[in-house]
Amino acid sequence: LFIEVYKILDSTELIFTPRASWRDFDNSRSNSTESDSNSLAVYDDSKANRVVQKNGWVEDYRKSKVLSSRRNNVRRHPLTMVNVITDSNDTRNHLNDRLKLHQDSIAKMSYSIVHICFEMLNATEQLIFTHTWGYKDKYGKWQGVVDYLMKKEGDLGTLTIFTQERMQVVDYIAMVGSTAVRFVFREPPLAYLANIFALPFTGMVWLAIFICVLGCALFLYITSKWEASMSMHPLQLDGSWADVLILIIGAVLQQGCTLEPRYAAGRVVMLILFIAMTILYAAYSANIVVLLRAPSSSVRSLPDLLNSPLKLGASDFEYNRYFFKKLNEPVRKAIYDKKIAPKGKKPNFYSMEEGVEKIRQGLFAFHMELNPGYRLIQETYQEHEKCDLVEIDYINEINPWVPGQKRAANKELYRINFIKIRETGVQSCMHRRLHVPRPRCSGAVSTFSSVGVADMYPAMLATLYGFLLSPAVLVLEILYHRLIVARANRAKTIQPFPEDSSLRSYYE
């Protein structure tokens, strides 16, 4: 008789299970068997659990040859799960009842799947609660989930992100849920990132407008010269470039001019110029109205986020503080040093409610866990405020896995049962019940949005430059006028000698 001996846990008693038995052939059976072929083993089709060999047969008592299915019953022995609670101690009372889902979503997702695994193993569930997943303190000692697993006080833990240090002291068993930690922000208006007054036309259109205006100015100059040679009028162009320039500026700015051509040739040119400028002005104004509220799609990567006018913050959790300090890639380090925790200022770590509210106000990117953050957004945002949400991955992590003891005896049992839970669709069902997808707006909501100072900044800046330039132009005009008057006075005082000889002798 062959006996299979094993233990469920290191501290439990031995379990003896009959595996198989050996039987010799009787004389008649042995004579017929000796006449068979010289093969070492022949399987008897009439009885699947009997293996016929040369000198006898083996009766196999195993119900399955798969070891994990035979040892899938741990006979109510206790198995311990270490749960991470960060939001509220009240989570201990709501791990599996779908209440207060915005609190400790990772812990609830992990527990719901591990609880099913423990039931499949016929185990007695025990729970331990801690406040952290597991990081080394300043003395090099592990804390939280990793510490319990290393001390063998826990068998499985809450979903944990992969790190090289953790992989050396614990084993990752399976992925039982998905979560993500990313920067989330509302797309800033285009006016905050670009000069919208230069965007309505492409470069080729601007060039075409310049050539059109230059051509009209040239023809106006030619016609005004010709008109000045024919006759003059107080409101007529005098044939100088200064008058032509004033007329062109008035046409471009839709203002008009007191001086104008008097003959048909010049008026045709002026009419063509004003019609072209009116059409362009209408198209330009329509584009400006659209661009004033258009969202910008220029912030899509970490360098864009670093160079954007957006303010940055992060949820006040230990994993955020750990990864922001741990990642030393230049762009990520610059984001933390310049926008998250600038020197001499308080680091921008906020609660989930504060961060989500700052996202709603705009021009703020918040690094948070997506599931509770999106749940809060669904509950507090208006419909049109959900339409322009953008995500940017900072940590660039893969989905977290359930950690277990290093080289644990039951590791394969856990892994196989987790695979069964996933293949049967139970894990997907639990994920849909507990997780919130990215909010979607209806797309049919139209709201009034006022234009602020930031939207009109380039226009106001141009106006300010005009205010500052106008006194300088006035001073130049005064100086030019005085120069002209001085020249005229000088010309009057210097008179030539008369041609009459008598007067010339008098002066002499």
Side-chain angles (χ1 to χ4, degrees), residues 303-316:
D304 297 337
L305 193 62
L306 175 62
N307 299 320
S308 71
L310 297 175
K311 295 182 180 179
L312 271 59
S315 55
D316 193 9

Side-chain angles (χ1 to χ4, degrees), residues 10 51 70 80 115 311 328 362 367 393 401 413 446 477 486 491:
D10 293 338
V51 181
R70 298 201 310 272
T80 304
H115 174 72
K311 295 182 180 179
N328 293 321
H367 194 255
D393 194 354
W401 283 36
L413 285 179
S446 59
E477 288 182 346

